[in-house]
Amino acid sequence: MEKYERINKKYRYNQDKLVYTKEQVIERLRSKFKAKEFSKEKLLDLVNDDQLEYAKIFSCLYIDDSAVLLKLFSDGEREIHKEDIMDNRENPLNPKKVKKKEWEYNHILLDEQEGRRLDIILESQDDTYISGFIVRGNSEKLNRYLNALIEGAQIQLKAASEDINDEYFQFYLEKIEMFGFLK
């Protein structure tokens, strides 16, 4: 608990600097990870997603720079990619069984599975701050980084707890310290 009290003190001092608008988050993702925007319509399954409200999804970004991806994936995640690559080679997509309009979508899924691409889907309920996100392609590091960027606004809007005993708040404190957001 002493650790969280120490981080919480730094958090309280820097609290106003830890709230990022949706535009600021996108700019950070572009500059730090070379993220590029794409249309949400390309992800055919997104309309049925139960985590985000489709109409409130305002941006989809992808990361496909191999040097950046190398830093974002853990050894365990890379092992899963290797297994998926082997499985996909043994059971390749059959162009005759995939509808033409689903071809690009299927290749996006393959790139996510095999570690050549990460997709970030961002939702905003109030058109100012990000209310929810999904990282497709499984990068725990990128998930945690986004949590550190987004949770400050949720706390300000009282959609998240600021109780030092709350495990989600503790998780947030760990992430903002881990990624150097506290001075």
Side-chain angles (χ1 to χ4, degrees):
M1 190 55 86
E2 193 175 300
K3 166 186 161 184
Y4 295 114
E5 288 171 3
R6 178 184 53 76
I7 302 171
N8 191 37
K9 239 182 227 181
K10 289 181 188 178
Y11 161 75
R12 299 271 177 226
Y13 182 75
N14 291 290
Q15 190 171 3
D16 294 339
K17 298 174 193 148
L18 297 169
V19 176
Y20 303 100
T21 64
K22 62 184 194 175
E23 291 82 8
Q24 290 171 315
V25 171
I26 289 174
E27 185 50 41
R28 279 184 170 243
L29 295 171
R30 283 185 178 148
S31 64
K32 186 171 179 70
F33 302 114
K34 300 181 183 178
K36 298 169 228 151
E37 211 148 355
F38 72 99
S39 170
K40 69 182 179 182
E41 286 78 20
K42 289 186 177 192
L43 298 177
L44 302 178
D45 62 336
L46 199 54
V47 72
N48 298 318
D49 186 83
D50 60 354
Q51 294 178 50
L52 303 178
E53 188 179 334
Y54 189 76
K56 299 291 184 175
I57 295 172
F58 70 93
S59 182
C60 294
L61 302 160
Y62 69 96
I63 301 168
D64 65 353
D65 183 281
S66 58
V68 173
L69 291 172
L70 189 62
K71 294 176 186 174
L72 287 173
F73 291 125
S74 68
D75 290 342
E77 290 163 342
R78 282 191 280 282
E79 283 302 314
I80 292 169
H81 296 149
K82 286 180 190 175
E83 291 172 16
D84 286 338
I85 289 168
M86 294 302 293
D87 187 49
N88 291 334
R89 297 305 173 265
E90 291 172 7
N91 306 293
L93 271 180
N94 183 343
K96 293 176 183 172
K97 291 186 178 181
V98 177
K99 296 176 186 169
K100 189 176 180 179
K101 69 178 189 172
E102 295 176 0
W103 188 252
E104 182 181 18
Y105 167 70
N106 278 281
H107 278 278
I108 288 172
L109 294 179
L110 284 173
D111 287 344
E112 289 172 353
Q113 281 182 346
E114 297 181 1
R116 291 184 300 273
R117 175 184 176 128
L118 284 168
D119 289 325
I120 305 163
I121 294 78
L122 302 171
E123 171 198 72
S124 177
Q125 292 291 333
D126 66 4
D127 206 34
T128 303
Y129 301 106
I130 296 173
S131 55
F133 71 91
I134 298 172
V135 173
R136 293 171 52 137
N138 299 327
S139 168
E140 189 175 327
K141 185 174 185 176
L142 183 58
N143 259 306
R144 289 176 178 209
Y145 184 79
L146 278 163
N147 176 269
L149 281 177
I150 293 166
E151 196 68 17
Q154 294 302 307
I155 290 169
Q156 179 181 318
L157 298 169
K158 303 297 182 218
S161 173
E162 247 182 320
D163 178 0
I164 196 165
N165 296 310
D166 182 285
E167 66 184 71
Y168 295 108
F169 184 62
Q170 291 174 355
F171 181 77
Y172 171 65
L173 292 175
E174 290 172 3
K175 298 315 135 234
I176 58 176
E177 183 176 60
M178 173 191 293
F179 292 111
F181 288 12
L182 299 173
K183 306 261 184 244

